[in-house]
Amino acid sequence: MVSGGLLEGLLPADVVVVELFADPPSVDLFPQEAEIVAQAVDKRRREFATVRLCARTALARLGHAPGPILPMDEGPAWARRAPRWPDGIVGSMTHCDGYRAAAVARSEQVASVGVDAEPNAPVPDGVREMVTLPEERVTLDRLALSHPDVAWDRMLFSAKESVFKAWFPLTGRWLDFTECVVTPDPEHGTFTGELKVPGPVVDGVRLEGFTGQWRSSNGLLATAVVVART
């Protein structure tokens, strides 16, 4: 495991983060997990297994015994990709080439958490227009000139992924890319995600948006959103 990694330090102390920058030679999966990726290509099996190793290691630090981490078994196809965490736990997992990570917390301390990692490279042709709003594209163009070392369209995509991962457990609903306006702060490594639809109610307060942290390092970008209890 890596200390001082990509996500570590972006989240509060209540959230346990475990990261790996390479896949171990082998990772033991529970039979239910192995069945899910039995027909998958090797790359998919390795990232699936390693990110669960990260998650189980993080859960162990919260006192949870090892167990299978399975996707949801109900709802539309997009919802069934979300992981089912043990009772009393909220969490998020992410993986991209050269990076796997999981972040977990006790639900009595944190209402929701979302993390995402991406390569620090522009999104593919056509994706920028699909995932951004006109006002966001103005911001992206400005940041590309002032801070050219960051692929801002990819950072914004990652931020929206983290927002969605924090949003979904609180609402059970889809959040479209056009329903959240992300504004990055390049100087402080933060961003805001202003909702254009009614937000979830957490501890009696309706959220109007999310705040997050981001970092770029060694060719990677990471974003994180934590909804704390009040």
Side-chain angles (χ1 to χ4, degrees):
M1 301 300 168
V2 178
S3 297
L6 188 63
L7 277 171
E8 191 170 339
L10 289 187
L11 298 103
D14 291 336
V15 182
V16 178
V17 178
V18 174
E19 308 171 278
L20 277 173
F21 291 83
D23 296 317
S26 64
V27 176
D28 292 331
L29 291 175
F30 285 84
Q32 308 98 305
E33 295 172 327
E35 183 179 352
I36 294 171
V37 289
Q39 304 302 317
V41 299
D42 180 65
K43 178 179 183 296
R44 169 62 178 153
R45 289 197 301 270
R46 287 188 287 106
E47 65 190 17
F48 180 94
T50 303
V51 79
R52 277 158 177 77
L53 172 62
C54 292
R56 275 192 271 278
T57 303
L59 287 168
R61 295 179 185 173
L62 293 179
H64 279 262
I69 302 172
L70 304 173
M72 293 188 176
D73 55 7
E74 59 184 17
W78 57 264
R80 293 197 297 270
R81 296 196 298 268
R84 282 185 282 147
W85 298 102
D87 290 343
I89 293 294
V90 296
S92 182
M93 298 187 292
T94 187
H95 54 75
C96 65
D97 286 347
Y99 185 75
R100 327 294 191 203
V104 298
R106 293 184 177 90
S107 58
E108 64 190 26
Q109 297 170 316
V110 172
S112 189
V113 57
V115 298
D116 185 72
E118 303 284 339
N120 186 12
V123 297
D125 290 344
V127 172
R128 172 176 147 139
E129 287 68 27
M130 182 174 64
V131 303
T132 61
L133 293 159
E135 59 264 44
E136 292 174 321
R137 292 194 281 275
V138 172
T139 300
L140 293 179
D141 291 342
R142 174 176 53 81
L143 290 172
L145 293 175
S146 62
H147 297 76
D149 54 328
V150 175
W152 290 104
D153 54 357
R154 183 78 70 162
M155 180 270 154
L156 188 141
F157 171 82
S158 179
K160 291 195 177 188
E161 288 287 300
S162 286
V163 165
F164 177 78
K165 290 178 181 181
W167 154 281
F168 175 65
L170 300 174
T171 64
R173 303 196 308 272
W174 177 259
L175 182 69
D176 194 80
F177 285 111
T178 61
E179 293 176 329
C180 178
V181 180
V182 168
T183 304
D185 183 334
E187 305 300 335
H188 297 95
T190 60
F191 64 88
T192 58
E194 179 186 356
L195 294 170
K196 297 173 72 69
V197 294
V201 176
V202 177
D203 296 337
V205 178
R206 184 173 296 280
L207 301 184
E208 297 183 355
F210 296 85
T211 59
Q213 310 281 327
W214 69 272
R215 176 181 288 153
S216 64
S217 177
N218 296 321
L220 296 171
L221 287 165
T223 57
V225 171
V226 175
V227 181
R229 293 290 183 186
T230 58

